[in-house]
Amino acid sequence: MMAKLWKQVRLITIGETLFDYEQLDIDFDVKCTDDNNSDIATIKLYNLSETTRQKLKLNQDVSIDAGYRELHGVIFNGIVESISTSRDENDFITTIEATPNNRAYTNTIINRQFKAGIKASEVIKQIEKMCNFTMDIKELGKDTVYPNGKVFSGRLSNVIPILAKDTGTICRFTNTTIEFKLPNKAYSSVLHLGAEQGLIRIDKKMDKADIKEKDNKKPKKDNSKATSSKPKFDIECLLIPLIKIGQLLEIESTLFKGQVVVKECNFVASGLETFTVSASVEVV
């Protein structure tokens, strides 16, 4: 893979305007979590003309395509939430903040009374016919039965979290798909990641048990039932767009060797030096 990791790609599309790193300086910081609720992208465009700045509007579609010439892809889709321009010495920096609140996801209205005895999975299938999204059910933790039926009257963005809670799943949406999956399970193919594939570092995250043991030199005996938690790590590697939420990774390092799933990730491009993705991962 290392042979493909040369010549950075940073392509930002806002509305109908494309911004290319080969033509102007572009920085970005994209934070993604296991559900879309707190995802946010901050984009910085340097020294735009006044004409170009005037083309940028709130609620425009935003897409970030990043990686390397032979290995790049879309890491974020959303809409513009705010635009501001400031001066830093000789540079005029236009900062755009965007969230993945797709307009169709936010604005589609669901007004429907479902029959008594219907299962949540059937409700999801029927809602699919009422919107422009494909419902991708990876796996349900439970298929709740509504003995008295179910009534929804509101935005799709409010309906989906209710169905996720009722089915013991988490959900993420893209421009075309709404995905339901179990919170601690990976459904992707395995991506090998070691030093030769761009891995920079890996650190073990301390869980509550580790912290308690560290704080108490002589911990008291606890007769209560121990709760097991899966080991977690923070990793950093070159900006490979294949590393996304839910991606299954085969880690090869001196600290850890084995499979993990990506729970959170943060894509950062800053100046010439920083072009990485950091991720919180959990052993599977």
Side-chain angles (χ1 to χ4, degrees), residues 29-32 36 38-42 76 97-100:
D29 187 324
V30 180
K31 294 180 173 63
C32 303
N36 301 92
S38 55
D39 289 10
I40 188 168
T42 302
F76 180 85
E97 287 198 345
T99 67

Side-chain angles (χ1 to χ4, degrees), residues 34 36 105 133-140 160 164 169-174 176-182 185 187-188 245-246:
D34 218 9
N36 301 92
Y105 182 73
F133 291 92
T134 298
M135 299 295 175
D136 183 9
I137 301 176
K138 298 293 187 185
E139 188 175 357
L140 300 181
I160 293 300
T169 60
I170 57 174
C171 61
R172 286 183 62 84
F173 66 87
T174 67
T176 58
T177 303
I178 298 175
E179 179 184 80
F180 292 82
K181 62 180 183 179
L182 296 182
K185 190 171 180 179
Y187 299 91
S188 68
I245 300 297

Side-chain angles (χ1 to χ4, degrees), residues 75-95:
I75 61 171
F76 180 85
N77 279 308
I79 59 172
V80 175
E81 296 286 355
S82 67
I83 306 168
S84 62
T85 299
S86 59
R87 185 169 183 172
D88 183 6
E89 296 183 351
N90 295 326
D91 291 320
F92 287 91
I93 306 171
T94 299
T95 301

